[in-house]
Every structure is written in structure tokens, then in C-alpha cells.
Amino acid sequence: MSSVAALGFDAIAPADAAWRSAACRRLDSLTKPLGALGGLETLAAQVCAIQQTLEPAIRHPVAVVFAGDHGVADRGVSAYPRAVTEQMVKNFLGGGAAISVLARLQRMELWVVDAGVDGECASHPRLIDAKMAHGTRDFVEQAAMPLAECEEALRRGRRVIGQVVPARGNTLLLGEMGIGNTAAAALLMHGLTGRPLADCVGRGTGLDDAGLARKRATLAAAAARRAPPADPVELLAEFGGYEIVMLVGALLAAAARRMLIIIDGFTVTVAAAAAARIEPNVIDYCVFGHCSAEQAHRTLLADLKARPLLDLGMRLGEGSGAAAALPLVHAALALFAEMATFAAAGVSEKSA
Amino acid sequence: MSSVAALGFDAIAPADAAWRSAACRRLDSLTKPLGALGGLETLAAQVCAIQQTLEPAIRHPVAVVFAGDHGVADRGVSAYPRAVTEQMVKNFLGGGAAISVLARLQRMELWVVDAGVDGECASHPRLIDAKMAHGTRDFVEQAAMPLAECEEALRRGRRVIGQVVPARGNTLLLGEMGIGNTAAAALLMHGLTGRPLADCVGRGTGLDDAGLARKRATLAAAAARRAPPADPVELLAEFGGYEIVMLVGALLAAAARRMLIIIDGFTVTVAAAAAARIEPNVIDYCVFGHCSAEQAHRTLLADLKARPLLDLGMRLGEGSGAAAALPLVHAALALFAEMATFAAAGVSEKSA
């Protein structure tokens, strides 16, 4: 079975339970009923455990969108034509996409990675050319990519982290773009969780009933060609997209650096699940920004025991759900740092 | 039945359906699948409908926390002693409470209103003295306040809006503080919705099982003394708190000014439900910041057909859930204003 060591990646320690406990003790001393800040308390304690401090902070957050095309897209598994992947890369960099707006609003750097877009992306200071090929192969007929390519894509994902994270940067938001990639993600989820394929397939960007039926049939044909391999890297090679594989590499690299990683929607969550199959500790570093409207996302989050911060019926990808959730992390850390204790504020504690 | 006219309040027009439709048309032209921003789209369209513009903006948001004590608190219906209301007022103004931190983080003015705190709150530039009495009467034995006091408290709530909202200010966050006030809110919800009292009662700040049983029995005794009146103002006089009644007055006044009102947790939602019984249009101006862990909140939100923005298991009050949600409103409006259209970005529309 693939492991970080076998792949030549750095080891990933678990988040620090002692710091988590210390954080919980501080939370219980603050002027509020025990646990009354709910998920914001869990979040603050998680960041303390990741950063090994009682002075947690978000420093130089960066959002990275990995983009790639999918051979299977030619089979009509998406409501949009394949050309949209390249067009949206331009839109991300031009400032007009949802993630562009949210990154600007939050004064966050936005990087775009051409992991395997079927087209030539014009160069741009925030575009990283990591193109593996002009889209994957059609996984109904053959593996999406050779195993060696998959391993190279993992390494390129790791390299991206080295390029985009500034010195002292400790927070990463991950997004993706790729027409057809919820189809790939569905097969990967099926392979990773063992759940019936039908439970893993959704409408993506907005397929109608006929489109959904076509997507289901297409994916069933792919799964019939080759049963999903148990090894996560073989599985990624078989059904993955280049953007998904690079996300896995980025996740492993960011967790090894003890970064806080904010996960976006279904496709990025599938990448997180694949990374966790390689090294379970990676999940300790992940905050799940939202639960998307893509039907399988809720199930997958539950399988990962993940509690998403938002549940707003978003289904856009690009990192938009992660970016929408970032202010909650800021809020959690500000509350942790700045609230008065019962003792300092002269507030009576619980009478019961 | 009480009405804004009978109470001498300004009329409240519905939000503007034509602007909402225009907003939805613009949303559908932006570079994303139709509806893919989910609740953020609904939110942007709501603000357009409130502000009657396609250039919606949050201007000078203010958070107001209404504080008051409850005679019923002496019966052990809260996990905290009554003195905490006054102590927390000091904490709000001193900057150490959760709402203080969140208001500072978001550069929002925080005002505190002494609606009926049992104690003397030291004067402070951001404290408004609107004290009706040192807490309400014990509603197990008699009405919480005379009807004339209730009407005066409504007017004082309206007056607060005149005091705290700056010129061109268009956004209001509402919170409350009052040991025992989820007990009052439960009786009000029972009266407003007709739901069984047991479905309206929760653990508040963290009652244990014995405390919860005591709270239920106490509220059942109050409801047995007098069946909840159908008229919302009579109901508020019977079981309300001064802070809850002032919230109702503030809601009616803010909606009449076409302000965006961000509602906090269970108690403020009960105030919104009472205001809506006086004038249903008030709900058009309300955004529900979150669903709290107080058990009845989810039911009440569903009764109001309200979709809360957050669902993080928070149960603190003070306006903390409203303040935590405010960045989502900023995000929704930034996306609405700044995203590129398909045409401008040269992105292909749906192929199906």
C-alpha cells in the first residue's frame, strides 16, 4: 500500500493532542457557558493543535486552484463544454470568478495551477505551469494516466506548495476546476469508501435527469472495465484527474509542514480522502469549509467524521466554499485570543 | 389585534419583489452554474430587494445587545445566577465578551441597552439607559409587566434605533443578554406558534437534566396561570422580558427604515416572530444568522420559513451568531458586485 515514505514524501505527525487539551482548558475559562461557541471552539482548539501554540494565528493565507481536463468529459458527463476549464482559468486570473472576488475580499493571494488543462493558458504571474498533458485519457477505455505520471503529478502538487506558500505562511485554501471532475471524483469516492457507485454520483454543475443517467452509466462502464484498485495511488492513476492528484500531493506536503488546510467542496474532499488513505494524519490538518449541494459530499464528509463549517447549498468549486468559510476561522481565533476569562471580568460562574 | 398603526409605529412595506427579480437575473448572468452559489445568491437578492438597488452595500453596521433580567430567574430556570446579566453588560462594554471581540474584528459599533437589568450599570458612552425596572415580575405569579409598560418598552426599542443608527447606516445586528430569558422566550414561542410547550423549552446556557425538568415545570405553571394571549403585545406583557420587548420595537423600527436586520439566536428569533405577528412584512428584512443549539430554535426557524446562514452549535446569544454570519453577507454582496458575466469573461454557457 502506498505511504508517504514509499512515495518519498515527508512524514506527517498527528496534530498535537496536548496543545488541543490546553486550548480546551483556556476555552472553558472564557466568559461564556461551557461549549457555547460550538464549532468555533472546536476550530480554535484544532488550530492550536496544528500550530502547537496557545497563540494561534492565520498568517499569509493563500488559495490555490488546481485545474485540469478529463478525457471522460467528451462523453457528456458535464453540463458544460470542456473549453470552460481553460476559460475559467483565465477568469480566475482576470479577477472575475467567484474565488477571485472572495480572495480579493479577504486579501488573500490566489494562485492557479495548470495541472492538465486541454489548451494553452496564457502566462500570468499567478499561474503555475505544471501541465502533465492536455487532459487525462478517457477512463472508460483505459487508465486516466499511467502510474508513473500519477506519481509525478503528486510530486508536482508538493512542489506547488513550495512555490506558493510564503515564508511564515501557515494557511492554505484548496480549490479545483475541471469540467468532468465530479465524475472522476465519484469513481474515486466509490473506490475509497466502498460505497455503491450510485451514492457517489451527483449532478455536478447542474446536469438534468438525462445527463445524470448518462453520467451514472458512463461511470458504471468505467468501474466495470476495472474494479477500483485498493491502493490509493493506483486508484488515482486509474480514475483521477491531474488536478485531483496534485491536490493530493499538495495536501500531503502542506500537512507535513503543519499548515492549516481549508478544504473546499466534493472534489477537494475526495482528494483529502485519498490523501488520508496514504497517511491518515493528514485529516488533522484539514478544516472542511462547507458541505456542498453535490449529493455525495455529505456522505463523504460523514465518512471522514468531518464537520463542515458552512452548509449553504453551494456547488461551485474553485475554492469558493473554503474562502467563504475563512472568516469563521478568523472569528474563532479572535475569540480564543481576546475574550476575557471569568476571573478577569468578574463574572460569576455556573451556579449548578 | 395589535398592528403597527395601532401602536403608533411606521408602516413596513414588503421588500421589493421587482428588485429581487432583477437581482436574480444578474446572478444568472455571472460566471458560475445557475444557482451554484446557493444561499449566498438568495442573500444577495434579498439585500437588493431590501435596498431597492442592484448595487447593494452594507453601510455602518451596528450591533445592539438588549439586556434585561427576569423575575422567573429566581426559580432556578438558568444555570447561572441573575447577577451575571449585569456582569456581562460590563464585559460587553469592557471588550471581553464574545460579541465585543466579534464587533471589533469586523469594525462594527457595539451598543448595549439596559432594558431592565437588575442592578445599576455604570455609565458608558456605548450604554443606553432605557431601564424599565429592575427585572420583570415573576410570570408564574403575575404578568411579567403591565400592558402599558410593554407598550412603552416597544417605543424605547424604536428610540434606540434612532440613537444608534448613524446617517446612511443600513445594517443592524441584534443580540440579547438576560439570565432566564430562554424561559421567557419559550413561553412566547408556545404562544406565537401554538406548539406544545415542551417543544419550546431547552437547556439555555447549559441546564442539566434536573434543571431542565425544573424549567419545564415552572413554565407549565406559568402557562396554567394564564393561557398565552393571542394578541402579540398582550403575550409579550404576560411572559416577555424587557429586552425581548425592546427587540420587537427595534425590529419594527428598523424594518420601517428598510434596514437589513441580522438576527441572532433563539431569543432574538422569538422577538422576530412576535414582530412578524404584529406586521408580517418585518421578516422580509431579516437575515437569520445561525441556528443555535437551543433545541427549539430549529423548529421556530422552520416555522418562519427561515434559512439560517450558520449551523455551528453555538448557543451564546449576545448577537454572537449574527456577528459570526456577517462576513457571509459581505461575501454575497462582493460576489454580486464583482463577478464577471459569461459574456464579459468569454466563458461558454451551459451546453445542455
Side-chain angles (χ1 to χ4, degrees), chain B residues 155 261 304 321 351:
Chain B
R155 289 190 291 269
I261 308 167
L304 292 171
S351 51

Side-chain angles (χ1 to χ4, degrees), chain A residues 34 39 87 104 312 315 348, chain B residues 34 39 87 312 315 338 348:
Chain A
L34 286 180
Q87 293 164 354
R104 204 157 52 229
L312 289 168
R315 51 180 169 78
S348 310
Chain B
L34 285 181
Q87 292 163 355
L312 289 168
R315 52 181 169 77
E338 298 176 30
S348 309

Side-chain angles (χ1 to χ4, degrees), chain A residues 29-31 339-348, chain B residues 86-88 90-92 96-97:
Chain A
S29 75
L30 302 178
T31 46
M339 276 183 73
T341 61
F342 280 101
V347 174
S348 310
Chain B
E86 184 192 346
Q87 292 163 355
M88 285 303 295
K90 197 175 154 203
N91 198 23
F92 297 148

Side-chain angles (χ1 to χ4, degrees), chain B residues 91-323:
Chain B
N91 198 23
F92 297 148
L93 295 166
I99 186 61
S100 323
V101 174
L102 294 174
R104 203 157 54 229
L105 179 67
Q106 299 182 37
R107 297 185 189 81
M108 181 166 54
E109 265 188 20
L110 170 64
W111 290 84
V112 182
V113 179
D114 175 359
V117 176
D118 184 11
E120 300 308 325
C121 302
S123 75
H124 185 285
R126 290 277 176 270
L127 175 71
I128 294 176
D129 179 3
K131 194 194 288 284
M132 296 293 303
H134 286 254
T136 54
R137 296 160 185 72
D138 176 3
F139 56 52
V140 176
E141 293 182 347
Q142 57 184 311
M145 66 193 81
L147 193 61
E149 263 192 16
C150 186
E151 291 175 352
E152 172 61 16
L154 287 170
R155 289 190 291 269
R156 290 192 189 178
R158 174 178 60 187
R159 197 179 311 149
V160 164
I161 296 307
Q163 285 178 263
V164 305
V165 176
R168 301 186 71 237
N170 65 8
T171 303
L172 179 69
L173 286 79
L174 292 176
E176 48 55 48
M177 173 72 218
I179 296 301
N181 74 8
T182 61
L187 274 170
L188 296 173
M189 173 177 165
H190 171 55
L192 289 165
T193 64
R195 290 190 173 272
L197 185 55
D199 295 353
C200 305
V201 184
R203 292 178 188 273
T205 49
L207 284 173
D208 57 17
D209 289 347
L212 181 59
R214 194 164 54 238
K215 185 173 176 180
R216 287 185 197 281
T218 302
L219 297 184
R225 177 183 62 74
R226 174 150 184 213
D231 180 85
V233 178
E234 285 177 41
L235 177 71
L236 286 165
E238 201 63 51
F239 301 121
Y242 296 120
E243 80 283 30
I244 298 175
V245 180
M246 285 194 203
L247 279 165
V248 174
L251 276 153
L252 295 172
R257 289 173 173 230
R258 303 196 73 96
M259 294 185 75
L260 171 65
I261 308 167
I262 307 184
I263 303 295
D264 189 32
F266 177 56
T267 302
V268 183
T269 304
V270 166
R277 184 59 56 86
I278 297 170
E279 171 49 70
N281 289 339
V282 79
I283 295 296
D284 287 8
Y285 297 86
C286 295
V287 163
F288 293 83
H290 80 133
C291 179
S292 88
E294 178 70 1
Q295 76 148 35
H297 195 201
R298 194 173 304 275
T299 309
L300 182 59
L301 288 167
D303 286 349
L304 292 171
K305 298 185 175 55
R307 292 228 184 151
L309 292 174
L310 299 174
D311 190 357
L312 289 168
M314 295 169 71
R315 52 181 169 77
L316 179 56
E318 308 178 2
S320 56

Side-chain angles (χ1 to χ4, degrees), chain A residues 84-170:
Chain A
V84 166
T85 305
E86 184 193 347
Q87 293 164 354
M88 285 303 295
V89 165
K90 198 175 155 205
N91 198 24
F92 297 148
L93 295 166
I99 186 60
S100 323
V101 174
L102 294 174
R104 204 157 52 229
L105 179 68
Q106 301 183 37
R107 297 185 189 80
M108 182 166 55
E109 264 188 20
L110 170 64
W111 290 84
V112 182
V113 179
D114 175 0
V117 176
D118 184 13
E120 300 308 325
C121 302
S123 75
H124 186 283
R126 291 277 176 271
L127 175 72
I128 294 177
D129 179 3
K131 194 193 289 283
M132 297 292 303
H134 287 253
T136 54
R137 295 160 185 73
D138 177 3
F139 56 52
V140 176
E141 294 182 347
Q142 57 185 310
M145 65 192 83
L147 192 61
E149 263 192 15
C150 185
E151 292 175 350
E152 172 61 15
L154 286 171
R155 288 189 293 269
R156 290 192 188 178
R158 175 177 60 187
R159 197 179 309 150
V160 164
I161 296 305
Q163 285 178 262
V164 304
V165 177
R168 303 186 69 239
N170 65 8

Side-chain angles (χ1 to χ4, degrees), chain A residues 106-298:
Chain A
Q106 301 183 37
R107 297 185 189 80
M108 182 166 55
E109 264 188 20
L110 170 64
W111 290 84
V112 182
V113 179
D114 175 0
V117 176
D118 184 13
E120 300 308 325
C121 302
S123 75
H124 186 283
R126 291 277 176 271
L127 175 72
I128 294 177
D129 179 3
K131 194 193 289 283
M132 297 292 303
H134 287 253
T136 54
R137 295 160 185 73
D138 177 3
F139 56 52
V140 176
E141 294 182 347
Q142 57 185 310
M145 65 192 83
L147 192 61
E149 263 192 15
C150 185
E151 292 175 350
E152 172 61 15
L154 286 171
R155 288 189 293 269
R156 290 192 188 178
R158 175 177 60 187
R159 197 179 309 150
V160 164
I161 296 305
Q163 285 178 262
V164 304
V165 177
R168 303 186 69 239
N170 65 8
T171 303
L172 179 69
L173 285 80
L174 292 176
E176 47 56 46
M177 174 72 218
I179 296 301
N181 74 7
T182 61
L187 274 170
L188 295 173
M189 174 178 165
H190 171 56
L192 289 165
T193 65
R195 288 189 175 272
L197 185 55
D199 295 353
C200 305
V201 184
R203 293 177 188 273
T205 49
L207 284 173
D208 58 17
D209 289 346
L212 181 59
R214 194 164 55 236
K215 184 173 175 181
R216 287 185 196 281
T218 302
L219 298 184
R225 177 184 63 75
R226 174 150 184 213
D231 180 85
V233 178
E234 286 177 41
L235 177 70
L236 287 164
E238 201 63 51
F239 300 121
Y242 295 120
E243 79 284 31
I244 298 175
V245 181
M246 285 195 202
L247 278 165
V248 175
L251 276 154
L252 295 172
R257 290 172 173 231
R258 303 195 72 95
M259 294 186 75
L260 171 65
I261 308 166
I262 308 184
I263 303 294
D264 189 33
F266 177 57
T267 301
V268 182
T269 304
V270 166
R277 185 59 54 87
I278 297 170
E279 171 48 71
N281 289 339
V282 79
I283 294 296
D284 287 8
Y285 297 86
C286 295
V287 163
F288 293 83
H290 80 134
C291 179
S292 88
E294 178 70 1
Q295 76 148 31
H297 195 202
R298 195 173 303 275

